Amino acid sequence: NNNNNNNNNNNNNNKNNNKNNNKNNNKNKNKNKKKQKKSKENPFKDVPEGEKKRISVKLEDMPSKYDPTFVEATWYEWWNQSGFFKPKPKEDENEEVFTIVIPPPNVTGALHLGHALTNSIQDVLCCYHRMHGKTVLWVPGIDHAGIATQDIVEKKLIRTEGKNRHDYGREAFISKVWEWKEEYGGRIKGQLKRIGSSLDWEHEVFTLDEKLSKSVTEAFVRMWESGLIYRDVKLINWCCKLNTAISNIEVDKKPFPKPKEIKVPNHDTNKTYEFGRIDHFYYEIDGEEDIKLEIATTRIETMLGDTAVAVHSKDEKHKPYHGKFVKHPFIEGRKIPIIVDDILVKVDKGTGCVKVTPAHDQNDYECGKRHDLEMITIFTDDGKMNDKCPEPFRGMMRFDCRIAIIEELKKKNLFKESKPNNMVIGICSRTGDIVEPMIKPQWFVKCKGMAERAAEAVNSGELKIYPDHPHKKIWLDWCGDLHDWCISRQLWWGHRIPAYMVKTNGKMHEPETWVCGRNEEEAMENARKELKKQDAEVTDEVLDSITLEQDPDVLDTWFSSGLFPFSVFGWPNETEDLKRFFPTSLLETGSDILFFWVLRMVMMSLELNDCLPFTDIYFHSMVRDAFGKKMSKSKGNVVDPIDVIEGITLDELHKKLYNSNLPQAEIDNAIEGQKKNFPTGIGECGTDAMRFALCNYTGVGADINLKVSDVENYRCFCNKLWQAARFFKLKVGDDFSPLSLSDLQEDQFQSGNESLAEKWILSRLQQTIEEVENGFSEYNFTHPTNALWKFTLNDLCDTFIECSRPFINIQDNSNPEKVSYSNTLYTCINSVLRLLHPFMPFITEELYHRLPKRQEHNHLESIKQNQYPPFAPQLRDEALETNFDFIKEISSNIRFLRSVYHLKSRVTPEIFLVVSNEETQNQISPFLNYIISLTNCQDPITILIDNESNKETIPSGCATKIVNHLCEIHMEIAKYIDIPSEITRLSSSLSKKQKTLNQLLKRISSYNPKVPQRIRDKDAQTKQQLEVELQKMQSSIDNFNKLLASSNK
C-alpha cells in the first residue's frame, strides 16, 4: 500500500486504489472459496430412496456441529413414502379438515424466493394443523401459462430449427409444447420438495389435465347458458409481437420521466424510437383555413384514426367552434366533428382540444360510445398501418409512421413543437412490445353481479382477509369498479374455447351466430335450437345444412385458475374429494394477484357452487432485495431458493446469468447487481434457516427487504439448537429415559418436584406456546418465530441450561435434583422441537430421533405424528418471571463488568450486592445460586442493605455497576488483574488502531473518481467499525484509571 508515500498525485492514487481493489477482490475470492463448499457429498447417499435414515442415538455418533447437508438428507423422501403428507383415512363425519391448494406456479419458470415464502407459509400451516389432529390436504399443481409457454417454445423452435408455430400447424405445434413440458416441467417439483413442502403428490394436477379441462368446459358452458359469458367487439390490450389479447397483469407500466430511446419488437432491429415526448400539431377548421386548433398528443400516429376533436363546454375560447368540423390533413374528404365532452376534456389542462381515436385509446373509446363516433382501426395485428391509412403511411410499422407523420405535418406547416413529457407506457411483460389498445371481437364475462356478491362476502365477515389493512379496502374498491373480463386469447396453447360459429349452406349464417357446447354434438343441438329461435319458420333444409366451426382462440389462463380450488377435486362431478375437501380452508398468496386470481376464484365459486371457495385469505408480504428494489433477473438480485439452501459462489451466480436468455447488456448490468448484493456469494444456510427467516419477515410490512446475511444468522440459530441437544445427551447419558406422561401432572409438563428455575422455564415455555398459538390464529408468523427464537436462545440456552449446570453435572443419575432438572430440560427441548417443527422440519425431525422418547410416544415414527404442545395456563407464574427478570438483569450487569475489565473465565470474583431495602433482599436471596451459575462468580454472594456501615465492609478495588434504583453491584477486581499493565496494553492497541484509522481517512480523502462504489462502501464500513473500537478501548482505559485511583485511596 502506497498510502504512506508523500507523493499523492492522481497516478499514485490510481495505483493505490487499484492495489486496494485487487486486495479486496483477492480477499473476496479467498473468502468465497473458504466459505462455499459446494457439491458436498450426501452422507446418506446409500440409503434407498424412501427408506428411513438410520440414526444412532449415541452421543459419539452425533456430529459436533450442525450441518444442513447432513441433517436434511433423505428425510423428505421418507416422509413422502410413509404417507405423512396424505390426508388421514376418513373415520368420523365430524372430522376437522384443513385444505389448501397451492397457487400453481407457471410451468415455464423456476421458483424464486417469493415462491419459497409462499410455500414455506403454506407448509407451516399444514404441519401445524396436522399436529393439532386435523385431516390435512395440500394440493400441488402447475399452471400451463398459455402466453409464456407458447412464447418460450416458439422461440426455442425458431432458434434450433428455424421454424415458427405456423410452419408446424396447430396440432403439431401443440405436440411440441407437450414435449417441452415433459422435459422441463419437473424443475419446479424438485424445488418444492427441496423446500420441504408437504404436498400430497397423489393429488398433483396440471391445468391442462383432462380432469381440469372438463371443469373449464363445464364452467364456460354454464356461464354462457346463464348469460354471463357473451361475445362482443370491444377495446382490449393487444400485443403486436404475440398477435394476441393480453391481460392487465401482463402489462408492465414503465415510467418515462424524460425522453428515452428504446428498441421496439417487430421494428427495425437497427433503430431505436424515442418515447417520453408530447407532440403539438394543428387541425384546420373546415371552411376557415386561417383558424387552427392546437392538439397535443403522445401518440401522433393515431391521428390517422381520429373521428372527433373534443372541447369543454365551459371553454370560452373554443365555444365558437362547437358543431363545426376540422379537415384531416392526409385523408381527402374526411371531416372530423368538433364535439363537446366535459368528461374527456379538462378545461384548465393542455391546449383545450383533445383528439379522439376511439379504436386505439380507452378514454377515447368511452367518449366514442357516448357520442356514437365511428371507430376506425388503423393497425394490423402485427403493428403495421393498415389499408385504411393513406399513402405513404400504409404498410409502415406504427412507430416509423409516427416519424413520417411529423415530417409530413412540418411540410404542411401544421406541426408546432415536440416537448419532453413525463409519462407511463404499457409494455408487454412477455415480449417488451408497446401494448396497443385494439378493437377486436372477443369473449367476455359479465362481472358486476358476481363482484357485488364477492364484496358482500367480505363486508359480512363470511370471507376474512388477513391482514385487514389495506387489503379489505383494495378488495372492495376492485369489486365496486369491475369491468367485464376479456377471456379469449389468440393462442394455440391452452383451453380451446368451446364455442362454435354457425354456418348454413357452407357460409357464415346471417345474422352471425355463435353457440357453445360441452362437445360438438351438444353444440349442434344448441345451433338448431338457436336458428329456430331466430326464425320459427326456418326450414329443415337450412337446419340440415348447419356446420360448426370452433373458435380457434383459447381461454385466458386466469379463467382456469379461477376454477382451481374446486376443479382439482373433479368438479362438476360429485367426487368424494369434492365432498370432503371443498370448500377449502384458506387461500395464501401475494397481494399482487388479488384481482387477477383471488377475486376471480371467489366470484366463480359463488356463481358455480353458490359458496365461497375458502373462508380465509392471507396475503403475504412481497419479497424485495436488501435495498428494497423489486427482484428482477436483469438487476441480478433474483435469488434461487436452492442457492440459499446449498450456497453458491459469486462466479457460479455469474455463470447462471450467462446460461440464461438475457441479452448481453442486461447480463452486464445483472453481474454488477450480483456483486453489490452478494459480494462473496451466498453461504450455505439450509432449508430450515431459510424457511424460518422468510416466515419471520412476514410481519414487517407490505414488502420484505431480504438480506441473505439474515438467513445465515438463522443457520447459527440451528446450530444453537443442535448444541443444546448435544449438551443434554452429554449430561444425561445415552441411557436416559424421560418420565412417562403418567408420571407427570395433568398439564404434561411437570412432575411436582421442580425448583424455582424449573418453574420459571416452564412458565416461560407456556408464555411462548401462547404467543405461538396467537400468531397462528392471526396469520402473523413474525410473532411465533420471534417467540421461539427468544425462548430457545435467551431463556433455554443462555439462562436455564446455565442455571441447571450445577445439578445436571451431578454424577449420580439417581440424584433427585439431577433427575428433576434432566426431565425439565428434556421437556423444554422436546417442546421446542415440536413447536419449531412446522417452521424447521428437517433439524427437528433429526433431533427428535436423536433424543429419547416418552414411553407413550415410542410407537410414533416421526415428529410429524406428535401433538403440538398444548398451552397450560396454570403453569404461568408472572410474579416468578418478574423476579427472574431481575436476577437476569443483575447477572447481565455482572457479566458486563467482567467484560469491561477483561476477567478471564477461570476467575471467580467476589460479588457484593447493595440493595435498597429488606424486601429487595428477600426477593433476591432465593436466586443467588442462579446468579453464581450465570456469572461464574464466587460463592457465596454477599447481600447488603444500603447504609454507611454495610458499605464500609466492601473491600477497596471493587468495580461498581448500578442495576437500578433498588440494587447496585460491587465486584472485587484489583487482586485479579495488573491494572497498570492493562492500561499500557490497551493504550498500545489504541495507538495502532488510531494509526490504521488515520491511514484509511487519508485514502478516503484522496479517492480517485474511478474508485468503485462498492470499495467506497467497504471503506466507510471499516471506518465506522474502527471508530467504535477506538471508543470502546478509550472507555476501558478510563474505567481502569478510575479503578486505579480508587485502589490508591
Side-chain angles (χ1 to χ4, degrees), residues 574-634:
E574 285 290 321
T575 64
E576 288 302 315
D577 275 355
L578 189 68
K579 294 174 185 176
R580 189 181 184 193
F581 299 114
F582 182 79
T584 63
S585 309
L586 167 75
L587 190 283
E588 189 282 335
T589 189
S591 59
D592 55 330
I593 53 175
L594 179 153
F595 162 65
F596 298 101
W597 187 41
V598 186
L599 178 55
R600 285 169 176 167
M601 282 189 286
V602 170
M603 292 194 307
M604 295 178 82
S605 182
L606 286 171
E607 174 62 30
L608 296 169
N609 299 296
D610 199 29
C611 69
L612 290 167
F614 29 75
T615 53
D616 290 0
I617 302 171
Y618 172 68
F619 290 115
H620 64 244
S621 306
M622 304 306 296
V623 181
R624 297 180 179 270
D625 71 9
F627 305 97
K629 293 182 179 178
K630 184 178 179 180
M631 290 194 173
S632 163
K633 289 181 182 178
S634 61

Side-chain angles (χ1 to χ4, degrees), residues 268-310:
D268 189 336
T269 56
N270 296 317
K271 291 175 66 175
T272 57
Y273 300 85
E274 190 175 40
F275 294 86
R277 302 195 75 87
I278 188 165
D279 299 313
H280 291 247
F281 74 99
Y282 298 108
Y283 271 132
E284 295 177 327
I285 293 183
D286 185 42
E288 301 181 41
E289 282 73 10
D290 57 331
I291 301 177
K292 300 174 183 177
L293 298 184
E294 183 181 345
I295 307 293
T297 178
T298 59
R299 305 199 58 211
I300 200 167
E301 68 278 7
T302 63
M303 60 94 70
L304 298 177
D306 285 355
T307 56
V309 172

Side-chain angles (χ1 to χ4, degrees), residues 43 79 940:
W79 289 330

Side-chain angles (χ1 to χ4, degrees), residues 728 732 736 738-739 744 749-759 761-762 800 804 807-808 810 812-828 854:
F728 173 78
V732 304
F736 172 81
L739 293 174
L744 295 176
F749 289 99
Q750 61 179 354
S751 63
N753 301 314
E754 285 75 18
S755 65
L756 285 174
E758 292 173 90
K759 291 178 180 178
I761 193 65
L762 291 175
F800 180 71
S804 72
F807 309 100
I808 210 164
I810 296 171
D812 181 6
N813 289 337
S814 63
N815 178 279
E817 288 182 308
K818 178 166 185 176
V819 170
S820 183
Y821 271 93
S822 298
N823 274 283
T824 300
L825 182 54
Y826 172 83
T827 295
C828 290
R854 298 198 194 277

